Amino acid sequence: MVSTEGGFDAEEIVREMNKMERLRRENDSKLVEAFNGRRIQIADYLLPIAFSGDKVVEFLLVAEDGACVHTPVPPLNQLIHVTSNEAFEIEGLFTPVVVSGVISTSSSH
């Protein structure tokens, strides 16, 4: 940041802020391929997206309880799409779950 006669260069500050925001968005969408094909176990929160009756069979694993897909959308590289071989009941959206299995990395956008 360059200071100008007793103040700061507002245009430079805005340029730097825009650059940081662009880099943050780029990092939020980077696919983490290092785990592809590996067996993992991870604890996070689930956001159900498909049911069999009143039991969950498909969900998104998200880093924050109560995360939703409308506002704000979690960064793409912090979402894990999970399908379960067996339907199961959930205790609630604010209760963490532990998921284990072989992960496959891919991008859907």
Side-chain angles (χ1 to χ4, degrees):
M1 230 173 328
V2 176
S3 94
T4 59
E5 298 183 27
F8 291 95
D9 184 345
E11 290 178 2
E12 178 67 19
I13 293 170
V14 170
R15 279 192 295 275
E16 286 299 313
M17 288 175 55
N18 288 337
K19 179 181 173 183
M20 290 173 58
E21 179 62 20
R22 184 177 55 15
L23 290 172
R24 185 194 61 77
R25 271 190 254 117
E26 288 173 8
N27 285 332
D28 284 352
S29 63
K30 284 186 179 177
L31 184 62
V32 181
E33 296 185 39
F35 295 106
N36 193 38
R38 295 180 72 182
R39 177 163 285 285
I40 59 127
Q41 182 172 7
I42 187 169
D44 265 325
Y45 299 91
L46 64 81
L47 178 62
I49 56 176
F51 293 86
S52 176
D54 61 350
K55 296 183 177 182
V56 176
V57 292
E58 188 175 351
F59 60 94
L60 294 176
L61 197 62
V62 296
E64 297 180 25
D65 63 337
C68 199
V69 292
H70 57 278
T71 311
V73 176
L76 296 177
N77 64 0
Q78 292 182 21
L79 296 174
I80 299 176
H81 177 230
V82 180
T83 54
S84 177
N85 294 334
E86 296 180 27
F88 61 94
E89 291 182 24
I90 61 172
E91 293 180 33
L93 297 179
F94 301 102
T95 304
V97 296
V98 177
V99 174
S100 60
V102 175
I103 193 166
S104 172
T105 58
S106 65
S107 180
S108 61
H109 71 280

